[in-house]
Amino acid sequence: MRGQAPDNPPPTAAAFPEEGARRRTLRTEVLLVLALSLGASGISSLISFVGALTQPGGLGDQAARLNSSQAPGRPWLDLAWQLFGIATALVPVALVAHLLTREGAGGLRALGLDRRRPGFDLGWGAAVAAGIGGCGIGFYLLAQANGFNLTVEPESLPDVWWKYPVLIASAVQNSVLEEVIVVGYLLRRLGQLGWPPVAALAAGAVLRGSYHLYQGIGGFLGNLAMGVVFGLLYLRWRRVGPLVAAHALIDIVAFVGYALLAGRVDWLPTP
């Protein structure tokens, strides 16, 4: 009869209150995890980038400093601050592990961060690091020389016994935090929320680029590309282990290499 409601109306969110509540919970969880970690870093990086753009002079005349001293002239206090910063930066990773454990997914093992395939993780990690790292250095030098990037100073720690161990620990912390949150966790949750893989991958890549904006346009674009490659590899392998290894190796070479070469070679920009 005309005007009569169909016998089988299409399902709506209200028809599945439990599913709708679960999706809202997941969306809130993702926003909170990002607000406590790399989402907040992205906003901070954007503010820093705006400040650099509005500063007199070009981007190439300014410096972005990583791993700097927290207590100049007081090495033991400086070490305490360095270790405190590394440990607290990993709290969001512990939170994600807790959330995945409560979900019944097995913690970080669900993302492929475990000891089941060490040879695979380290082997492919080294191969990816060689390819991405080499291209990244070339792209940074090109962007910095053309005024699209700040001069990145990967380290300015005092010359003390703990300098290189702290640089290596900082590199590992960066890699674990970024690959667990931006690749493993975010792609898993966005998939559970119904995002297509391409959209989820794009969101993760943009997020990765955003929290590197403090380095300039080159930092954003280079890490955007890295995010796409790492996202595709994760969708293929379903493991963040190789990505953590690759990222750690890239950062170790950048931090330690800069400490050894800065001021000794002509091709490496310094502030």
Side-chain angles (χ1 to χ4, degrees):
M1 183 182 298
R2 184 185 300 272
Q4 183 176 352
D7 293 335
N8 297 301
T12 64
F16 302 100
E18 292 185 2
E19 179 64 21
R22 177 176 178 272
R23 290 170 67 87
R24 288 194 297 273
T25 298
L26 286 182
R27 282 196 294 267
T28 301
E29 178 194 294
V30 170
L31 290 175
L32 288 174
V33 169
L34 294 181
L36 292 171
S37 58
L38 295 167
S41 297
I43 296 174
S44 173
S45 191
L46 175 60
I47 296 171
S48 178
F49 178 62
V50 171
L53 279 179
T54 55
Q55 180 109 345
L59 292 178
D61 298 326
Q62 302 175 54
R65 293 179 169 85
L66 293 68
N67 299 303
S68 56
S69 177
Q70 301 300 309
R74 307 181 67 183
W76 285 102
L77 182 61
D78 201 347
L79 175 59
W81 279 119
Q82 299 294 336
L83 296 178
F84 174 78
I86 290 169
T88 53
L90 289 173
V91 171
V93 176
L95 175 60
V96 165
H98 171 72
L99 293 169
L100 292 175
T101 300
R102 290 193 62 181
E103 182 185 330
L108 296 181
R109 183 169 181 165
L111 307 180
L113 187 62
D114 51 42
R115 294 177 292 180
R116 285 179 294 175
R117 306 178 68 185
F120 178 88
D121 293 346
L122 292 175
W124 277 107
V128 172
I132 295 287
C135 294
I137 292 174
F139 185 75
Y140 161 69
L141 294 174
L142 181 64
Q144 195 275 340
N146 287 277
F148 294 106
N149 220 74
L150 285 76
T151 300
V152 178
E153 185 178 21
E155 72 84 24
S156 57
L157 294 175
D159 191 14
V160 291
W161 65 268
W162 49 260
K163 175 176 180 173
Y164 292 104
V166 162
L167 290 176
I168 292 171
S170 178
V172 173
Q173 172 254 298
N174 287 341
S175 63
V176 172
L177 175 66
E178 294 187 34
E179 305 318 323
V180 167
I181 300 293
V182 179
V183 180
Y185 171 76
L186 188 61
L187 292 187
R188 178 183 178 88
R189 283 294 187 253
L190 292 182
Q192 291 171 331
L193 287 169
W195 286 45
V198 172
L201 189 151
V206 170
L207 175 60
R208 187 187 296 265
S210 73
Y211 59 77
H212 286 92
L213 257 176
Y214 69 92
Q215 298 178 8
I217 300 171
F220 173 80
L221 293 177
N223 282 278
L224 179 72
M226 178 177 172
V228 171
V229 173
F230 274 32
L232 289 172
L233 291 176
Y234 177 75
L235 292 176
R236 177 181 177 85
W237 293 331
R238 294 295 174 179
R239 291 188 61 79
V240 298
L243 308 180
V244 169
H247 193 153
L249 289 171
I250 291 170
D251 280 6
I252 288 170
V253 170
F255 297 168
V256 175
Y258 184 88
L260 295 174
L261 297 178
R264 296 180 175 87
V265 293
D266 295 333
W267 56 266
L268 184 62
T270 56

PDB file of all heavy atoms in Angstrom, residues 20-33:
ATOM      1  N   GLY A  20      26.830   0.595  17.973  1.00  0.00           N
ATOM      2  CA  GLY A  20      27.020   2.041  17.945  1.00  0.00           C
ATOM      3  C   GLY A  20      27.811   2.531  19.139  1.00  0.00           C
ATOM      4  O   GLY A  20      28.692   3.389  19.004  1.00  0.00           O
ATOM      5  N   ALA A  21      27.520   1.968  20.321  1.00  0.00           N
ATOM      6  CA  ALA A  21      28.265   2.362  21.524  1.00  0.00           C
ATOM      7  C   ALA A  21      29.727   1.943  21.421  1.00  0.00           C
ATOM      8  O   ALA A  21      30.627   2.679  21.840  1.00  0.00           O
ATOM      9  CB  ALA A  21      27.628   1.737  22.759  1.00  0.00           C
ATOM     10  N   ARG A  22      29.970   0.777  20.824  1.00  0.00           N
ATOM     11  CA  ARG A  22      31.351   0.308  20.678  1.00  0.00           C
ATOM     12  C   ARG A  22      32.126   1.229  19.751  1.00  0.00           C
ATOM     13  O   ARG A  22      33.289   1.555  20.020  1.00  0.00           O
ATOM     14  CB  ARG A  22      31.355  -1.114  20.121  1.00  0.00           C
ATOM     15  CG  ARG A  22      32.741  -1.683  19.863  1.00  0.00           C
ATOM     16  CD  ARG A  22      32.657  -3.127  19.407  1.00  0.00           C
ATOM     17  NE  ARG A  22      33.982  -3.646  19.110  1.00  0.00           N
ATOM     18  CZ  ARG A  22      34.582  -3.542  17.922  1.00  0.00           C
ATOM     19  NH1 ARG A  22      33.966  -2.901  16.938  1.00  0.00           N
ATOM     20  NH2 ARG A  22      35.781  -4.042  17.718  1.00  0.00           N
ATOM     21  N   ARG A  23      31.505   1.661  18.663  1.00  0.00           N
ATOM     22  CA  ARG A  23      32.191   2.559  17.725  1.00  0.00           C
ATOM     23  C   ARG A  23      32.494   3.894  18.377  1.00  0.00           C
ATOM     24  O   ARG A  23      33.576   4.457  18.191  1.00  0.00           O
ATOM     25  CB  ARG A  23      31.350   2.742  16.468  1.00  0.00           C
ATOM     26  CG  ARG A  23      31.264   1.496  15.592  1.00  0.00           C
ATOM     27  CD  ARG A  23      30.223   1.676  14.511  1.00  0.00           C
ATOM     28  NE  ARG A  23      30.622   2.689  13.561  1.00  0.00           N
ATOM     29  CZ  ARG A  23      31.386   2.459  12.493  1.00  0.00           C
ATOM     30  NH1 ARG A  23      31.845   1.250  12.253  1.00  0.00           N
ATOM     31  NH2 ARG A  23      31.703   3.436  11.666  1.00  0.00           N
ATOM     32  N   ARG A  24      31.550   4.410  19.154  1.00  0.00           N
ATOM     33  CA  ARG A  24      31.801   5.675  19.860  1.00  0.00           C
ATOM     34  C   ARG A  24      32.937   5.518  20.862  1.00  0.00           C
ATOM     35  O   ARG A  24      33.785   6.408  21.012  1.00  0.00           O
ATOM     36  CB  ARG A  24      30.531   6.145  20.568  1.00  0.00           C
ATOM     37  CG  ARG A  24      29.455   6.675  19.642  1.00  0.00           C
ATOM     38  CD  ARG A  24      28.387   7.423  20.409  1.00  0.00           C
ATOM     39  NE  ARG A  24      27.685   6.541  21.350  1.00  0.00           N
ATOM     40  CZ  ARG A  24      26.629   5.809  21.037  1.00  0.00           C
ATOM     41  NH1 ARG A  24      26.145   5.820  19.795  1.00  0.00           N
ATOM     42  NH2 ARG A  24      26.042   5.058  21.949  1.00  0.00           N
ATOM     43  N   THR A  25      32.976   4.370  21.534  1.00  0.00           N
ATOM     44  CA  THR A  25      34.048   4.116  22.496  1.00  0.00           C
ATOM     45  C   THR A  25      35.401   4.059  21.805  1.00  0.00           C
ATOM     46  O   THR A  25      36.390   4.623  22.286  1.00  0.00           O
ATOM     47  CB  THR A  25      33.795   2.797  23.251  1.00  0.00           C
ATOM     48  OG1 THR A  25      32.567   2.905  23.981  1.00  0.00           O
ATOM     49  CG2 THR A  25      34.925   2.499  24.225  1.00  0.00           C
ATOM     50  N   LEU A  26      35.447   3.392  20.642  1.00  0.00           N
ATOM     51  CA  LEU A  26      36.704   3.294  19.901  1.00  0.00           C
ATOM     52  C   LEU A  26      37.157   4.660  19.394  1.00  0.00           C
ATOM     53  O   LEU A  26      38.342   4.977  19.449  1.00  0.00           O
ATOM     54  CB  LEU A  26      36.556   2.322  18.730  1.00  0.00           C
ATOM     55  CG  LEU A  26      36.515   0.834  19.056  1.00  0.00           C
ATOM     56  CD1 LEU A  26      36.404   0.007  17.779  1.00  0.00           C
ATOM     57  CD2 LEU A  26      37.748   0.408  19.848  1.00  0.00           C
ATOM     58  N   ARG A  27      36.212   5.461  18.897  1.00  0.00           N
ATOM     59  CA  ARG A  27      36.580   6.798  18.427  1.00  0.00           C
ATOM     60  C   ARG A  27      37.140   7.639  19.570  1.00  0.00           C
ATOM     61  O   ARG A  27      38.154   8.333  19.407  1.00  0.00           O
ATOM     62  CB  ARG A  27      35.364   7.495  17.802  1.00  0.00           C
ATOM     63  CG  ARG A  27      35.028   7.029  16.399  1.00  0.00           C
ATOM     64  CD  ARG A  27      34.085   8.000  15.718  1.00  0.00           C
ATOM     65  NE  ARG A  27      32.780   8.021  16.377  1.00  0.00           N
ATOM     66  CZ  ARG A  27      31.743   7.276  16.022  1.00  0.00           C
ATOM     67  NH1 ARG A  27      31.855   6.427  15.013  1.00  0.00           N
ATOM     68  NH2 ARG A  27      30.597   7.373  16.655  1.00  0.00           N
ATOM     69  N   THR A  28      36.488   7.574  20.715  1.00  0.00           N
ATOM     70  CA  THR A  28      36.972   8.324  21.876  1.00  0.00           C
ATOM     71  C   THR A  28      38.341   7.832  22.307  1.00  0.00           C
ATOM     72  O   THR A  28      39.237   8.626  22.624  1.00  0.00           O
ATOM     73  CB  THR A  28      35.980   8.196  23.045  1.00  0.00           C
ATOM     74  OG1 THR A  28      34.704   8.691  22.641  1.00  0.00           O
ATOM     75  CG2 THR A  28      36.465   8.977  24.264  1.00  0.00           C
ATOM     76  N   GLU A  29      38.531   6.513  22.282  1.00  0.00           N
ATOM     77  CA  GLU A  29      39.820   5.933  22.672  1.00  0.00           C
ATOM     78  C   GLU A  29      40.936   6.417  21.750  1.00  0.00           C
ATOM     79  O   GLU A  29      42.008   6.822  22.216  1.00  0.00           O
ATOM     80  CB  GLU A  29      39.738   4.409  22.626  1.00  0.00           C
ATOM     81  CG  GLU A  29      41.047   3.717  22.975  1.00  0.00           C
ATOM     82  CD  GLU A  29      41.020   2.254  22.596  1.00  0.00           C
ATOM     83  OE1 GLU A  29      40.230   1.502  23.196  1.00  0.00           O
ATOM     84  OE2 GLU A  29      41.793   1.865  21.686  1.00  0.00           O
ATOM     85  N   VAL A  30      40.689   6.399  20.447  1.00  0.00           N
ATOM     86  CA  VAL A  30      41.706   6.842  19.487  1.00  0.00           C
ATOM     87  C   VAL A  30      42.069   8.304  19.723  1.00  0.00           C
ATOM     88  O   VAL A  30      43.258   8.677  19.742  1.00  0.00           O
ATOM     89  CB  VAL A  30      41.218   6.630  18.039  1.00  0.00           C
ATOM     90  CG1 VAL A  30      42.147   7.317  17.052  1.00  0.00           C
ATOM     91  CG2 VAL A  30      41.126   5.144  17.725  1.00  0.00           C
ATOM     92  N   LEU A  31      41.062   9.144  19.914  1.00  0.00           N
ATOM     93  CA  LEU A  31      41.319  10.564  20.133  1.00  0.00           C
ATOM     94  C   LEU A  31      42.125  10.784  21.411  1.00  0.00           C
ATOM     95  O   LEU A  31      43.038  11.630  21.435  1.00  0.00           O
ATOM     96  CB  LEU A  31      39.990  11.329  20.201  1.00  0.00           C
ATOM     97  CG  LEU A  31      39.226  11.435  18.881  1.00  0.00           C
ATOM     98  CD1 LEU A  31      37.873  12.101  19.111  1.00  0.00           C
ATOM     99  CD2 LEU A  31      40.023  12.208  17.845  1.00  0.00           C
ATOM    100  N   LEU A  32      41.819  10.036  22.460  1.00  0.00           N
ATOM    101  CA  LEU A  32      42.547  10.205  23.716  1.00  0.00           C
ATOM    102  C   LEU A  32      43.990   9.725  23.590  1.00  0.00           C
ATOM    103  O   LEU A  32      44.920  10.378  24.086  1.00  0.00           O
ATOM    104  CB  LEU A  32      41.832   9.449  24.844  1.00  0.00           C
ATOM    105  CG  LEU A  32      40.512  10.060  25.318  1.00  0.00           C
ATOM    106  CD1 LEU A  32      39.827   9.141  26.327  1.00  0.00           C
ATOM    107  CD2 LEU A  32      40.746  11.436  25.936  1.00  0.00           C
ATOM    108  N   VAL A  33      44.193   8.585  22.934  1.00  0.00           N
ATOM    109  CA  VAL A  33      45.556   8.076  22.757  1.00  0.00           C
ATOM    110  C   VAL A  33      46.386   9.072  21.950  1.00  0.00           C
ATOM    111  O   VAL A  33      47.540   9.371  22.292  1.00  0.00           O
ATOM    112  CB  VAL A  33      45.541   6.693  22.078  1.00  0.00           C
ATOM    113  CG1 VAL A  33      46.947   6.284  21.641  1.00  0.00           C
ATOM    114  CG2 VAL A  33      44.978   5.639  23.028  1.00  0.00           C
TER     115      VAL A  33
END
